[in-house]
Amino acid sequence: MVSALGLTGVLGGCGAGIGSSDVTLHLVAADYGTSAANSSRKYWDALIDKYEAGHPGVRIEVDVYSWNDVDRKVKEMVDAGDPPDMAQIGAYADYAAEGLLYRADDLLSIPVQADFVSQLAEAGRVNGAQYGMPFASSTRVLFYNKELFAEAGITPPQTWEQLAADAAALKAKGVKYPYALPLGPEEAQAETMQWLLSGKGGYTDSVGSFNIDSSRNVETFTWLKDELVGKGLTGPVPPGKLNRADAFKAFAAGDVGMLNGHPSLMAMAEKNGVEYGMVPTPGKDGRSSATLGVADWMMAFKKHGHREEIGDFLDFVYGEEQVLAFSRDYNLLPVTSSASRTMAEAEQDKHLKPFLEQLVTSELYPVGDRAWAAVNAAVKKQIGKAVAPDGDPQSVLSSLQVTASRAGSGQ
């Protein structure tokens, strides 16, 4: 499993802080690191030490788990009747629907809650109330290999037609993956939504109802199947079997002409000396008017009480200094407006500016709908079939719509 942001963590561990106290709060958090050197444990240990120094009556214990384990661990705790006080994981809607979570306005001070980036705060709402507090965010842009583009004599695309023409030119030069289309089970939901948005569609309609098999979405996947996959422009691995991590590795190896990517791809490419460029996602008739925004979430469970202590700690967590530190450590976007403004003006953060600029027009997964978990899982398993040689986009998208309808009605 990976986070909504497409980042894979590998480490686990327990415990932070020392000494006795009046209140002990338990936090379960995801690891955004890829080694001991950049584990999220270091971030939380430093933050907690600083908080506890000013709050001698409160102790914070934190367990940090990899993205392979963290959501499951929290679910096991909830099912056992002993949830953590706070969890920083990938989804919150099921717990909110079951009445297990505090509302954000039960916890946070007004200035802190008002500081969340509006799109992210809105995505944290269920039936008008915010339960999910965004913790980390990212957007997607189109990465392209500058050297391969120069050799093919082409420029970055702004439309689907230009993207297909560029891919054809790259293929003619022997590029292994002219356009990498990762619709494998790792993160198919992200690539899918990026394409749906660029075709002026999406998972849901304008009122938030699932509309996966809309005519626009069917047209988008029909174009992908006929104009990219069917013409051999997506590489040797069938899109339904190509995972995002493998596509990123191929780009960092110089084997990909272009693909949709998030900030972590920059470091991978730079480490291997791949010169890359970044442009907004191409759309059907011009640059896409919306891009994929993704977020991971903080939530607080009501089971053990301590509402005031939890709220005070989270007010500290969402302070500008802490938000900036986390975002910079892991090449992610701030979830607060104050930190976003600072990052937009800071020279040290200029490499994240293309992603930050996309955030204002981004659209997030419909995470506030409890049907999303079932839809997300079904997309990962099925969407690759829509672009297979014998695939039928209409049939696959209609099947996904059925899944959404059933999950939404509790079937």
Side-chain angles (χ1 to χ4, degrees):
M1 293 176 62
V2 297
S3 77
L5 304 182
L7 303 174
T8 305
V10 297
L11 302 179
C14 306
I18 58 175
S20 62
S21 60
D22 297 324
V23 173
T24 297
L25 301 178
H26 182 202
L27 165 66
V28 173
D31 196 340
Y32 291 79
T34 56
S35 69
N38 68 344
S39 169
S40 296
R41 159 134 324 270
K42 291 188 174 182
Y43 171 80
W44 284 113
D45 283 350
L47 182 149
I48 289 169
D49 284 347
K50 186 175 180 181
Y51 179 79
E52 289 181 344
H55 300 79
V58 179
R59 182 182 180 214
I60 312 295
E61 293 183 345
V62 60
D63 292 335
V64 177
Y65 296 102
S66 79
W67 278 106
N68 292 323
D69 301 318
V70 68
D71 289 284
R72 175 177 55 83
K73 289 285 188 181
V74 171
K75 185 177 187 304
E76 289 173 352
M77 294 175 192
V78 172
D79 290 346
D82 187 26
D85 296 289
M86 296 164 285
Q88 185 271 297
I89 52 178
Y92 68 88
D94 281 357
Y95 299 130
E98 293 168 10
L100 302 179
L101 303 180
Y102 283 115
R103 292 164 47 136
D105 55 11
D106 290 331
L107 302 166
L108 303 175
S109 65
I110 292 174
V112 170
Q113 187 177 7
D115 196 27
F116 286 129
V117 173
S118 60
Q119 293 96 322
L120 304 179
E122 186 62 33
R125 296 181 182 276
V126 174
N127 296 325
Q130 184 180 356
Y131 294 92
M133 292 163 277
F135 183 76
S137 69
S138 184
T139 58
R140 300 292 196 270
V141 298
L142 184 75
F143 282 74
Y144 66 96
N145 184 308
K146 287 186 174 182
E147 182 178 351
L148 297 180
F149 265 59
E151 291 175 356
I154 54 178
T155 56
Q158 296 186 26
T159 67
W160 289 359
E161 183 179 0
Q162 292 169 359
L163 186 148
D166 283 352
L170 291 164
K171 181 182 179 181
K173 288 293 185 178
V175 175
K176 190 174 182 180
Y177 294 90
Y179 178 85
L181 182 66
L183 295 177
E186 180 191 359
E187 205 192 19
Q189 81 283 2
E191 185 74 10
T192 297
M193 184 166 172
Q194 189 74 27
W195 277 98
L196 296 182
L197 291 173
S198 71
K200 300 181 180 180
Y203 287 121
T204 58
D205 59 21
S206 59
V207 295
S209 300
F210 279 100
N211 193 29
I212 303 172
D213 59 350
S214 69
S215 59
R216 284 182 174 176
N217 291 345
V218 172
E219 288 174 7
T220 294
F221 266 82
T222 299
W223 186 89
L224 277 173
K225 178 178 183 291
D226 294 344
E227 301 301 323
L228 284 187
V229 182
K231 293 183 178 179
L233 301 178
T234 54
V237 179
K241 295 184 178 180
L242 180 64
N243 281 325
R244 188 269 312 161
D246 294 328
F248 277 22
K249 289 177 183 177
F251 186 86
D255 293 331
V256 175
M258 50 187 161
L259 82 171
N260 289 321
H262 54 63
S264 69
L265 184 54
M266 294 186 295
M268 293 177 64
E270 290 166 1
K271 182 178 179 181
N272 287 4
V274 173
E275 292 191 26
Y276 63 88
M278 299 181 293
V279 294
T281 303
K284 185 176 181 180
D285 303 313
R287 287 181 174 174
S288 179
S289 58
T291 190
L292 170 65
V294 291
D296 295 329
W297 302 93
M298 178 73 77
M299 63 211 69
F301 290 89
K302 297 188 291 187
K303 175 77 175 188
H304 303 301
H306 305 310
R307 178 181 65 84
E308 291 185 4
E309 291 85 356
I310 292 171
D312 187 72
F313 175 66
L314 291 179
D315 268 4
F316 181 79
V317 167
Y318 285 106
E320 183 176 342
E321 180 181 347
Q322 284 70 246
V323 172
L324 281 172
F326 182 84
S327 301
R328 286 166 172 164
D329 283 350
Y330 298 103
N331 277 324
L332 294 169
L333 302 183
V335 296
T336 62
S337 297
S338 58
S340 296
R341 287 191 295 270
T342 298
M343 183 171 279
E345 298 171 358
E347 178 67 19
Q348 71 182 95
D349 301 313
K350 64 180 181 180
H351 61 297
L352 289 172
K353 191 171 182 179
F355 300 93
L356 197 59
E357 290 174 343
Q358 294 291 307
L359 189 59
V360 295
T361 58
S362 67
E363 293 190 22
L364 282 79
Y365 302 128
V367 291
D369 192 315
R370 67 181 308 171
W372 171 243
V375 172
N376 183 31
V379 168
K380 291 179 179 181
K381 292 180 179 179
Q382 300 178 31
I383 198 63
K385 300 174 184 177
V387 297
D390 59 349
D392 178 8
Q394 175 73 67
S395 176
V396 172
L397 294 177
S398 293
S399 175
L400 293 171
Q401 179 63 30
V402 170
T403 296
S405 298
R406 287 177 175 171
S409 61
Q411 297 182 26

